[in-house]
Amino acid sequence: MSDQIKFIVDNLNKEPFRKNYNLITFDSLEPMQLLQVLNDVLSEIDPKQVVDIREEMPEQTAKRMLSLLGILKYKPPGNATDMSIFRQGLVIGSKPVIYPVLHWLLQRTNELKKRAYLARFLIKLDVPSEFLQDETVADTNKQYEELIEAFKTLHKECEQLKTSGFSAAEIRRDISAMEEEKDQLIKRVERLKKRVETVQNHQRMLKIARQLRVEKEREEFLAQQKQEQKNQLFHAVQRLQRVQNQLKSMRHAAADAKPESLMKRLEEEIKFNSYMVTEKFPKELESKKKELHFLQKVVSEPAMGHSDLLELESKINEMNTQINQLIEKKMMRNEPIEGKLSLYRQQASIISRKKEAKAEELQEAKEKSASLEREVSVKTNQTREFGGAEVLKGDEFKRYVSKLRSKSTVFKKKHQIIAEFKAEFGLLQRTEELLKQRHENIQHQLQAIEEKKGISGYSYTQEELERVSALKSEIDEMKGQTLDDMSEMVKKLNSLVSEKKSALAPVIKELRQLRQKCQELTQECDEKKSQYDSCAAGLESNRSKLEQEVRGLREECLQEESRYHYTNCMIKNLEVQLRRATDEMKAYVSSDQQEKRKAIREQYTKNIAEQENLGKKLREKQKTVRESHGPNMKQAKMWRDFEQLMECKKQCFLKQQSQTSIGQVIQEGGEDRLIL
């Protein structure tokens, strides 16, 4: 209880209550204050419960709280008698009643808020059947039920959207960003249209571009279809390979095996499968069902506190002690027949456990073999994708080895030829190095001779001059070509400019006339728009007035209709009551005895007479029972004493028989007997 109160106080001190209680102040609250705290928690769950209980009758407060707790599916502890105690405690504000309710409400506040919100729309109104006979009431009730179903579907969709990860702020940001991108794209398209309109044959070019886009989309679609068909083909090939492998393995097994071995294997498989179906799987299914039933039972029960857990632990300990005592009593008896049976039972349980273990091992081995076969098929498919071949067997492997040997001899010959080429390449490389050294020596000698003659660097400068002259001639040729190209481009541009000017001159004249017309039309449009706005404002004001009048008349019509239906129903009820009263009067006044018997008054008088006769008989029976009570009690006591006396004699006789030993004399029926 202390943990419960601590939890309640901690939650009441948090948002949105902010009560600033401690354990002492909360425990010292009066019943009226405690009921107000409970009402505040209920008003946080359902805003309709915001009431000052000092201004409300206690019966109304209890009725309102009980109805809301019933909607929230609160289950008070105990049975029907405890329910009456719970109601009384809720009326008077009893702490043992209100503390568990507060603990339960504060544990699951968010869940209960949602449940209260849904109950406001999903709890159906009880309409009497006599009102449903009216067509309008039946139609409105049907529409009401349809709206409830529509609300259920919309609420489910809303919850799915909330849990899907999308937020309204992100969606709004995305929409605003998309609108900005749309405006930018519209502006860009307009600029491109203006730029394209100046080009000749722009319509034809646009048509060609549109066709190109359509063809590209079609090409992408066809490429996607091609990829899908490739994937389907790949999967079909894999399936075909698996089936072929299975067929090969089955043929191999059928070729190697005899009918007797096949029959034996099939019998073993049938035995294993029958064991799995008849013994193992039903046991597992039964255990799973028991576990599911236990979990459902645990879920259906209300939340348990620390005190409940301690009680359960104490009960478990008591049951364990009782079980141990019974086991000790059974062992003390030590009956030999049950001992033999226990041995057989132990052996049977050991064999069954071994059988189950072997069945599980066999099942695991089968699963492992299936997984290994899948891995083998995957590896073979990978080798085929990488350009490899299948794993060879038998004669195919021998042929492959012979081909490999022939290829190895060819490889050795080619390798020898490559070695000869490498040796020749080494010789040529060496000769190249020697020639380079010789060229360097000659260059050094030439430089030394030039220094002696006083013309050092002559050969280098001569080589540079020759290279520069060659480059200059190439650049001059390129310059001449570029100048010719530029002059031709200038001529072409001048001719194009003159052609465009001559072509645009009539268009510019037409454009000036069209601009004047556009200005006149815009002025006229502004005048018409102002006239339209003034007329629309007047019509809108008239329309709003008429709508208000129509709405008021509709409300009056609905009120009159409801009043009419109510009075009509009351008249029908009164007619039925009047008809019943007239029938009763007719039956009571009529001279016919059968009709009189049908009257309600006659039936009630008959029932009263029967009950009075029954009361007389019961009183007489009570009188006889009271008179014979004393002798009967004495007789019962005598019978009980007689029964105890016979039981005592029986025990003495059994004890005497058990104590008889060898050589004892027993007197029985006036005779003496010696037992050896």
Side-chain angles (χ1 to χ4, degrees):
M1 184 65 80
S2 60
D3 295 335
Q4 196 177 46
I5 297 171
K6 189 177 179 183
F7 176 78
I8 293 166
V9 171
D10 291 339
N11 282 277
L12 288 174
N13 291 332
K14 294 178 183 176
E15 291 286 341
F17 303 106
R18 290 186 178 182
K19 295 292 184 181
N20 294 324
Y21 288 142
N22 55 27
L23 294 174
I24 298 168
T25 56
F26 180 74
D27 194 47
S28 62
L29 289 176
E30 295 180 358
M32 188 64 71
Q33 294 174 344
L34 198 60
L35 281 171
Q36 187 62 51
V37 171
L38 178 59
N39 192 74
D40 293 340
V41 175
L42 291 173
S43 63
E44 179 63 26
I45 293 167
D46 188 4
K48 289 183 179 180
Q49 306 294 323
V50 179
V51 177
D52 190 357
I53 61 171
R54 292 175 295 181
E55 300 174 358
E56 194 178 24
M57 296 295 290
E59 292 80 8
Q60 293 179 356
T61 304
K63 187 177 179 182
R64 179 170 54 80
M65 288 182 178
L66 283 170
S67 63
L68 182 59
L69 289 172
I71 290 168
L72 299 177
K73 296 182 180 178
Y74 174 72
K75 294 181 180 178
N79 50 17
T81 58
D82 294 334
M83 281 295 295
S84 62
I85 295 167
F86 175 76
R87 290 193 189 94
Q88 291 174 3
L90 195 63
V91 171
I92 63 174
S94 177
K95 291 180 182 179
V97 173
I98 292 175
Y99 282 174
V101 177
L102 283 172
H103 185 262
W104 186 78
L105 292 172
L106 293 170
Q107 268 185 335
R108 43 183 72 82
T109 307
N110 295 324
E111 180 186 350
L112 296 175
K113 280 183 182 179
K114 183 178 176 183
R115 192 175 291 172
Y117 168 73
L118 292 174
R120 197 188 315 167
F121 302 102
L122 296 180
I123 292 176
K124 294 182 180 179
L125 297 172
D126 292 331
V127 182
S129 58
E130 56 266 18
F131 291 129
L132 288 173
Q133 291 176 0
D134 192 358
E135 291 182 357
T136 55
V137 177
D139 292 337
T140 52
N141 190 27
K142 189 176 180 182
Q143 289 177 4
Y144 170 66
E145 290 176 353
E146 289 175 355
L147 288 171
I148 287 173
E149 295 298 327
F151 174 77
K152 286 180 182 177
T153 55
L154 289 172
H155 181 71
K156 285 179 182 177
E157 291 176 0
C158 180
E159 290 296 323
Q160 287 175 0
L161 288 172
K162 283 180 182 178
T163 56
S164 61
F166 296 106
S167 63
E170 291 179 358
I171 292 167
R172 288 195 192 96
R173 284 197 294 271
D174 293 339
I175 289 168
S176 60
M178 287 191 207
E179 287 178 352
E180 290 176 0
E181 288 178 0
K182 183 182 176 182
D183 296 334
Q184 291 176 3
L185 288 170
I186 289 167
K187 291 177 182 178
R188 193 179 296 171
V189 168
E190 288 177 354
R191 287 199 298 270
L192 290 171
K193 279 183 179 178
K194 289 178 182 178
R195 195 181 297 171
V196 168
E197 284 174 356
T198 59
V199 181
Q200 289 182 352
N201 298 326
H202 65 278
Q203 293 291 337
R204 184 168 172 275
M205 293 173 74
L206 285 171
K207 188 176 179 182
I208 292 167
R210 197 177 294 112
Q211 290 177 358
L212 178 63
R213 180 177 57 78
V214 171
E215 292 297 327
K216 281 186 177 179
E217 289 177 354
R218 190 163 173 271
E219 185 181 0
E220 289 177 358
F221 178 70
L222 291 172
Q224 190 177 1
Q225 279 188 344
K226 184 179 178 183
Q227 186 64 32
E228 289 177 357
Q229 288 178 358
K230 279 185 178 178
N231 293 329
Q232 290 177 1
L233 180 63
F234 177 70
H235 292 308
V237 169
Q238 284 185 343
R239 202 179 299 119
L240 179 64
Q241 288 172 359
R242 286 197 296 272
V243 172
Q244 285 178 352
N245 291 328
Q246 289 178 1
L247 183 63
K248 283 182 182 178
S249 62
M250 289 174 74
R251 283 178 178 172
H252 182 69
D256 294 340
K258 294 179 181 179
E260 292 82 3
S261 61
L262 287 172
M263 288 295 292
K264 190 175 181 182
R265 194 183 304 163
L266 287 171
E267 285 177 357
E268 289 176 356
E269 288 182 359
I270 289 165
K271 285 180 181 178
F272 174 72
N273 291 328
S274 62
Y275 166 73
M276 295 292 285
V277 170
T278 56
E279 295 184 13
K280 192 170 186 300
F281 288 158
K283 287 180 182 177
E284 291 179 356
L285 184 64
E286 189 66 27
S287 64
K288 295 292 181 185
K289 282 182 179 177
K290 287 181 181 177
E291 189 176 356
L292 179 63
H293 179 68
F294 177 71
L295 292 173
Q296 286 177 351
K297 189 176 178 183
V298 170
V299 169
S300 64
E301 290 180 355
M304 299 177 71
H306 186 68
S307 59
D308 298 332
L309 291 173
L310 291 173
E311 288 179 3
L312 285 174
E313 285 180 357
S314 63
K315 287 181 181 178
I316 289 164
N317 292 326
E318 289 176 0
M319 294 300 292
N320 286 327
T321 54
Q322 289 178 5
I323 289 164
N324 292 326
Q325 289 174 3
L326 290 171
I327 290 167
E328 287 176 359
K329 286 180 181 178
K330 188 175 179 182
M331 291 174 70
M332 290 292 290
R333 288 178 185 174
N334 197 9
E335 294 181 1
I337 298 169
E338 291 210 355
K340 292 178 181 178
L341 289 172
S342 64
L343 289 173
Y344 290 126
R345 286 197 196 100
Q346 288 177 1
Q347 290 177 1
S349 63
I350 290 164
I351 291 164
S352 64
R353 283 197 293 272
K354 285 182 180 180
K355 194 175 181 181
E356 288 176 359
K358 293 297 179 184
E360 288 176 358
E361 288 177 1
L362 182 59
Q363 190 71 21
E364 289 176 359
K366 283 187 176 182
E367 291 175 357
K368 192 173 180 181
S369 66
S371 64
L372 290 171
E373 286 178 358
R374 286 196 293 273
E375 286 180 4
V376 168
S377 64
V378 170
K379 296 293 183 185
T380 52
N381 293 325
Q382 287 178 359
T383 53
R384 284 175 185 167
E385 287 176 2
F386 293 130
E390 292 184 359
V391 180
L392 301 175
K393 297 177 182 178
D395 297 332
E396 293 179 356
F397 183 73
K398 290 179 181 178
R399 287 195 292 272
Y400 175 73
V401 169
S402 62
K403 285 182 183 179
L404 192 64
R405 284 174 181 170
S406 61
K407 286 181 180 180
S408 65
T409 54
V410 174
F411 170 74
K412 287 177 182 177
K413 290 179 182 179
K414 299 292 183 183
H415 189 69
Q416 189 176 1
I417 293 166
I418 289 166
E420 291 175 357
F421 280 126
K422 282 182 178 178
E424 190 175 354
F425 174 73
L427 290 171
L428 292 171
Q429 204 171 11
R430 179 62 181 164
T431 52
E432 184 183 4
E433 289 177 358
L434 292 171
L435 290 171
K436 281 182 179 179
Q437 287 178 1
R438 191 178 295 174
H439 176 70
E440 288 176 358
N441 293 327
I442 291 167
Q443 287 290 332
H444 287 305
Q445 289 176 4
L446 183 62
Q447 287 176 3
I449 292 165
E450 287 176 353
E451 287 176 357
K452 284 181 183 179
K453 300 293 183 178
I455 51 170
S456 61
Y458 173 75
S459 60
Y460 178 72
T461 53
Q462 189 175 2
E463 290 176 358
E464 286 291 323
L465 285 170
E466 289 176 356
R467 189 171 61 79
V468 168
S469 61
L471 287 170
K472 186 175 179 298
S473 61
E474 289 178 359
I475 290 166
D476 291 335
E477 289 178 359
M478 290 172 68
K479 282 181 179 179
Q481 289 178 0
T482 52
L483 287 170
D484 294 335
D485 294 335
M486 287 173 72
S487 61
E488 288 178 0
M489 285 291 291
V490 169
K491 288 178 183 178
K492 286 181 181 179
L493 289 170
N494 288 326
S495 61
L496 284 169
V497 168
S498 61
E499 288 176 0
K500 294 291 181 183
K501 281 181 179 179
S502 61
L504 289 171
V507 176
I508 290 167
K509 290 179 181 179
E510 292 178 359
L511 183 62
R512 286 172 184 169
Q513 295 175 0
L514 291 170
R515 279 178 181 170
Q516 290 177 358
K517 286 183 181 180
C518 180
Q519 289 176 359
E520 293 173 358
L521 290 170
T522 51
Q523 290 177 359
E524 188 177 355
C525 178
D526 293 334
E527 292 174 358
K528 298 288 183 184
K529 190 176 181 184
S530 62
Q531 293 175 3
Y532 169 75
D533 291 336
S534 62
C535 184
L539 292 171
E540 185 67 26
S541 62
N542 292 328
R543 189 177 67 82
S544 62
K545 289 178 182 177
L546 291 171
E547 282 181 353
Q548 288 178 359
E549 291 177 1
V550 169
R551 198 178 294 114
L553 291 171
R554 280 181 180 172
E555 288 177 356
E556 289 179 2
C557 182
L558 289 171
Q559 289 176 2
E560 293 297 330
E561 281 183 0
S562 63
R563 195 178 300 156
Y564 165 73
H565 290 304
Y566 177 73
T567 53
N568 195 8
C569 292
M570 292 297 292
I571 288 164
K572 286 181 180 179
N573 288 328
L574 292 171
E575 286 176 355
V576 171
Q577 291 177 4
L578 183 61
R579 197 180 301 117
R580 289 176 66 185
T582 52
D583 293 337
E584 181 68 21
M585 287 296 293
K586 285 178 183 179
Y588 182 69
V589 172
S590 66
S591 60
D592 192 1
Q593 293 296 326
Q594 291 183 355
E595 290 185 358
K596 275 191 175 183
R597 287 173 185 170
K598 291 180 181 177
I600 296 171
R601 183 172 180 177
E602 293 294 330
Q603 291 176 4
Y604 279 130
T605 53
K606 186 179 177 182
N607 290 330
I608 289 165
E610 289 177 357
Q611 293 297 323
E612 285 178 353
N613 293 326
L614 184 63
K616 287 179 181 178
K617 290 178 182 178
L618 290 172
R619 281 193 292 273
E620 289 174 358
K621 192 174 181 181
Q622 185 180 10
K623 187 177 179 182
T624 55
V625 168
R626 282 178 181 174
E627 290 174 354
S628 62
H629 178 69
N632 289 335
M633 290 297 291
K634 286 180 182 180
Q635 191 175 2
K637 187 175 181 303
M638 289 170 70
W639 275 109
R640 282 196 295 272
D641 295 339
F642 179 72
E643 189 179 357
Q644 288 179 2
L645 182 62
M646 295 304 291
E647 185 67 27
C648 182
K649 284 185 177 183
K650 181 183 174 184
Q651 294 293 332
C652 291
F653 180 72
L654 293 172
K655 189 174 180 181
Q656 188 177 5
Q657 277 189 346
S658 61
Q659 288 178 358
T660 55
S661 58
I662 299 171
Q664 189 174 358
V665 178
I666 296 172
Q667 293 180 357
E668 207 172 35
E671 295 179 355
D672 295 337
R673 285 193 298 164
L674 179 63
I675 296 172
L676 298 175

